[in-house]
Amino acid sequence: MFERVVPWKKIDSVVALGVALLILWMYGSLAVAASSFYFHVDDLIIAWTLAWDWHALTTDPLHLFQANIFFPEQNTLAYSEHLLGVAILAWPIQLLTRHPLVTLRIFSLLALWVTAIGMYRLLLDWTRDRVAAGVGMLLWTFALFPMNHFPHIHLFNTAALPWMIWALHHFIKTQSLRWLAATEGLFLVLSLMSGHYMLFGALMLVVLGVYGTLVFEIRFSRKQVFAIAGGTGFVGAILVLLFFPYTTLPIRSILENLQFSATGLDFLAFTPAIHALGWLSKPPLPEQTLYLGMIPAGLAGWSIVQLIRGRREADASFLWSLGYLLLAIIASFLAFGPLIRWSANSAGVVGPYALLYEWIPGFGGIRVPSRVFMIVVFAFSLLSAVRIARWRAQDRDPRVWKIAVLAILMIGFLWEGWFHPLNPRYKSLRPLPEPKEIDAWLAEQANDTVVFHYPFYTKLRVNSEARYTYESIYHWRKQINGYSGHIPPWMLYLVIRMEHFPDRLSIERLKFLGIDYIILHTEEFDDPAALKPLLEEIKTTPGLSIEGFVDQKSQDPHYIIRLF
């Protein structure tokens, strides 16, 4: 295995075309709908992030992290993933579409296709079996667990991951510096597209790299050691530069980590059918669902049993399979988070994630430890493909009935994904915010103008804040409002204070924050009848002046209120 790169043939091109059509079938409608609708508020924030990246890179790249939300906080782009790698790679699409959400969807589909080809390439070089490689490709490309993260491009997009592992295997096999450069370069690309996969990818490289070096007794020359250290240092320096602003943020609390960590019961609920049948209660949060799927779980279990039973087959493929089983076990324990628990209400023991949380920079900033389960899904997809290749190799002439069985299994797997309750196509579509008169008016104001959109976190509702953030791409003026993975500590006080707007203390607080204008969104009021007395009170409040009334013909008229 991995002695050489298997030549690409016509049948491989057919496979590439086929998986492209499957991707369009599963997700294509969402790319079409993106021009007018979105189905999750995180769609808006990720589209805003990409739009800010493009805006900052073309106007003031040295202040990339000084985004326009949560004024007067600094480095507010670091409150979520910066997505710089995605922005750079998707830039040509944006130049054609001029629509960040459409660009995001098209890039997601292309990235999924690159992921599929990378997984196929990796398994083809490993197994030399195109059928097994195709099965493993489908198991990873359309895995149910990543499907739950479709709105999150930094989690759904794993385009560089299989290619990085492919290059790593060739480097360990050949010790060629060319493959070393490819491995580290692909890790850099993976990291620039996702801080999560920077940590997950580093974990995979360390575990698999150390395992391969020890098991195959590789002795690197001094030149190779210097090359590994130099390349790692170079990539590390770039990543430190681009992720340093994240070190200024407080780490996540252990209690927040526990809320979004998996339990033993979550591992047992490997398919939505278990919840539908009432055998186990559904986790309260979607981040705790670890859906592997019925067929992938069955194939993974079969692969592990056969791997243990076949311990006498101590060839390179068998040894690497043990390495991926070890990787899956490590990742499974990490998915439990700081405590390994049977259920959310049971006691637990301290798990290995607590060590990473305490000692490895970056892990303290992860809100959802259960996302490490991505590594488990990846490892199980590889193990299943390798076991299928061995199963098919038992006959000199691959039996047609075996291909038929695999085809039926893959149809069942895709069917489960198509009717998966977390499939994005089942999400309700919401009208996409379009440019309004108020956005054009704000774009005409001075660049240092600071605005405050009101109502503000009404009843702790965040959807309006996501829309305020997305709509700022039409003017890029600084604003107190924002929606992100982190919230400034003073924001809760402002939420409480604004419940009494426009009293004296709320006005003083807004002036202290440097607000120039309050934009009153009439559509956002829970009780429309409260709008009229509020306007009357604003007119008589010292320090406030209603400067204008725009978008009168729309469903969301806006009042412009000036602070002086």
Side-chain angles (χ1 to χ4, degrees), residues 406-477:
L406 293 173
I408 293 172
L409 289 176
M410 289 303 97
I411 291 172
F413 167 64
L414 294 172
W415 178 87
E416 186 179 13
W418 181 253
F419 292 102
H420 191 311
L422 295 178
N423 189 315
R425 70 189 186 90
Y426 289 117
K427 304 292 184 179
S428 57
L429 294 175
R430 310 170 192 179
L432 186 68
E434 296 293 338
K436 302 182 179 70
E437 289 181 33
I438 187 63
D439 299 315
W441 182 86
L442 286 171
E444 295 173 354
Q445 307 309 304
N447 289 336
D448 59 351
T449 298
V450 181
V451 299
F452 174 68
H453 296 276
Y454 185 83
F456 178 62
Y457 277 100
T458 306
K459 295 182 180 179
L460 296 182
R461 185 178 63 200
V462 299
N463 290 1
S464 58
E465 298 301 310
R467 288 194 294 272
Y468 298 155
T469 301
Y470 177 80
E471 290 171 351
S472 72
I473 69 176
Y474 302 121
H475 54 76
W476 292 125
R477 296 301 169 258

